[in-house]
Amino acid sequence: MAQKKGSKYGVHRVIEPKGVLPQPANKIDNNMDEIYDNEILIDVQTLNIDSASFTDISARANGDPEQIKKIMFEIVEKQGKHRNPWTGSGGMLLGTVEKIGDALKGKIDLKEGDKIATLVSLSLTPLRIDEILEIRADVDQVDIKGKAILFESGIYAKIPSDLPEKLALSALDVAGAPAQTAKLVKPGDTVLIIGAGGKSGMLCCYEAKKRAGVTGKVIGLCHSERSTKRMQELGFCDYVFSADATQPVPVLEKIEELTNGQMCDVTINNVNIPDTEMTSILCTKNTGVVYFFSMATSFTKAALGAEGVGSDVTMIVGNGYTKGHAEITLQELRECEALRKIFTELYA
């Protein structure tokens, strides 16, 4: 029997409301018995839940693994995908290509049996969870038995043979952040990375230092003493300090001191908690750029907050995709032994 013809963007899977794309849809079809001619069926091994989402689910479950499982099952049962209803965000997955739709065969560089990481959000990916095998709360990863669909427009990265799977997955989950940092930071820039000690933060600090060069300055703001110490040892930042990013005034005073009142050319926000918009804006000079990679960012708070303090800063919404982002991020792990070592210890 011929496979049904599907839409490039997966609109054929939307149940309600009709006419919208899969990401904003309330419910999508996650039936995996038959695939459309332009879909890729994936046998899923690991879900990498995005940090803002996992932090939120874990808090709702009081850290209880059984409650985390229950919430995850409920999310997928209700929506046909893993879009956190409170944060709106998803994550990505690692799995094996099980079947390729007839319309895609020979047109893509994938074959059945290839191990891939999807680089599109779980908030739009049709997903079926049959069993949750293990929750690794410290790295936001959940091993499952299940299936997923990648649409024709969906991007992916083949898992490289020279890096451990879980290591590559952790890095690829946040690949947009260091790749955007590479585009934004110019030689001589003063850069502030908020959430410097986290997964995306470490990659951004490394990339920022590389791009700002010897005439630039990279400042890392960490949440805990432990991550501050880790970032100091890594040596990617010219200065690292720990502070509460939800408290703009103390952070602003520190940045004024560190930049002789000049403030930062570029601020990259990588945190997984809300209410850090004003800290990012106030620490950035009027001609500067704030890049909100954090999925906990409120567009309203950022826009009205900047207006309220008379800041003319350019604000960029974190797009998890930028051309070449997977290659840039994996290359960082290959070329920097210290980074690879710490990622292996923490995430692999």
Side-chain angles (χ1 to χ4, degrees):
M1 196 174 88
Q3 290 174 337
K4 283 189 236 166
K5 194 170 165 48
S7 135
K8 179 182 179 180
Y9 299 109
V11 179
H12 55 276
R13 287 264 177 187
V14 174
I15 295 172
E16 68 97 14
K18 286 287 183 202
V20 303
L21 287 159
Q23 203 283 330
N26 296 327
K27 190 168 177 63
I28 60 175
D29 173 15
N30 65 348
N31 177 0
M32 310 284 170
D33 297 339
E34 284 180 29
I35 67 165
Y36 286 72
D37 68 346
N38 65 339
E39 293 181 334
I40 298 165
L41 178 66
I42 302 165
D43 186 31
V44 183
Q45 177 187 327
T46 303
L47 301 176
N48 202 109
I49 306 298
D50 89 273
S51 187
S53 173
F54 196 90
T55 302
D56 174 80
I57 291 170
S58 188
R60 288 173 193 280
N62 293 319
D64 176 3
E66 290 310 311
Q67 281 304 310
I68 291 173
K69 285 183 189 179
K70 187 168 176 276
I71 292 171
M72 288 182 66
F73 273 123
E74 282 170 1
I75 289 172
V76 174
E77 196 179 334
K78 192 173 177 189
Q79 302 181 72
K81 56 182 180 172
H82 199 285
R83 179 184 65 175
N84 180 319
W86 303 285
T87 65
S89 52
M92 36 88 84
L93 62 85
L94 171 75
T96 306
V97 175
E98 189 174 309
K99 199 171 182 185
I100 297 170
D102 295 342
L104 291 182
K105 280 184 180 159
K107 293 182 182 170
I108 54 171
D109 64 339
L110 280 184
K111 59 186 189 303
E112 284 157 16
D114 279 350
K115 189 66 75 77
I116 61 168
T118 60
L119 300 177
V120 289
S121 175
L122 291 177
S123 66
L124 61 85
T125 304
L127 174 69
R128 191 185 82 210
I129 300 178
D130 300 321
E131 192 182 341
I132 293 179
L133 303 171
E134 189 189 349
I135 293 171
R136 291 192 296 284
D138 52 336
V139 292
D140 309 333
Q141 288 180 359
V142 181
D143 290 340
I144 70 159
K145 282 184 181 171
K147 309 277 182 201
I149 294 286
L150 189 64
F151 298 127
E152 185 182 343
S153 59
I155 48 176
Y156 57 85
K158 286 189 191 177
I159 295 297
S161 55
D162 62 330
L163 294 168
E165 281 173 12
K166 299 275 163 61
L167 177 69
L169 180 66
S170 283
L172 289 168
D173 174 41
V174 293
Q180 295 279 12
T181 303
K183 283 203 310 199
L184 291 171
V185 178
K186 301 182 297 301
D189 277 352
T190 295
V191 186
L192 170 62
I193 313 277
I194 300 178
K199 192 162 49 166
S200 55
M202 286 190 278
L203 292 164
C204 288
C205 288
Y206 174 76
E207 197 62 49
K209 190 63 195 154
K210 196 160 94 173
R211 306 287 169 171
V214 290
T215 56
K217 182 189 258 188
V218 177
I219 302 166
L221 191 168
C222 297
H223 178 60
S224 68
E225 287 298 335
R226 192 179 58 180
S227 57
T228 303
K229 190 168 181 292
R230 186 165 66 217
M231 284 315 292
Q232 284 165 340
E233 285 168 1
L234 275 171
F236 303 154
C237 299
D238 297 284
Y239 191 85
V240 187
F241 68 104
S242 97
D244 180 353
T246 65
Q247 302 291 310
V249 178
V251 179
L252 168 66
E253 287 167 355
K254 186 74 181 169
I255 297 299
E256 278 177 331
E257 178 199 320
L258 291 172
T259 63
N260 294 323
Q262 296 295 298
M263 311 317 283
C264 302
D265 298 289
V266 181
T267 296
I268 313 261
N269 185 323
N270 289 309
V271 300
N272 57 12
I273 53 165
D275 299 323
T276 61
E277 294 84 1
M278 287 316 298
T279 303
S280 312
I281 290 161
L282 288 171
C283 290
T284 312
K285 57 177 73 165
N286 261 348
T287 52
V289 172
V290 179
Y291 180 78
F292 287 109
F293 187 69
S294 165
M295 284 292 130
T297 304
S298 157
F299 167 77
T300 318
K301 283 177 187 169
L304 298 180
E307 178 189 297
V309 295
S311 171
D312 192 20
V313 66
T314 299
M315 294 184 279
I316 301 176
V317 175
N319 174 355
Y321 172 68
T322 187
K323 200 168 170 56
H325 69 329
E327 293 80 359
I328 288 170
T329 303
L330 293 175
Q331 185 54 32
E332 288 185 7
L333 292 177
R334 290 189 181 106
E335 69 188 27
C336 178
E337 199 180 326
L339 197 55
R340 188 169 67 247
K341 187 168 175 284
I342 202 123
F343 261 69
T344 305
E345 274 169 28
L346 294 173
Y347 307 114

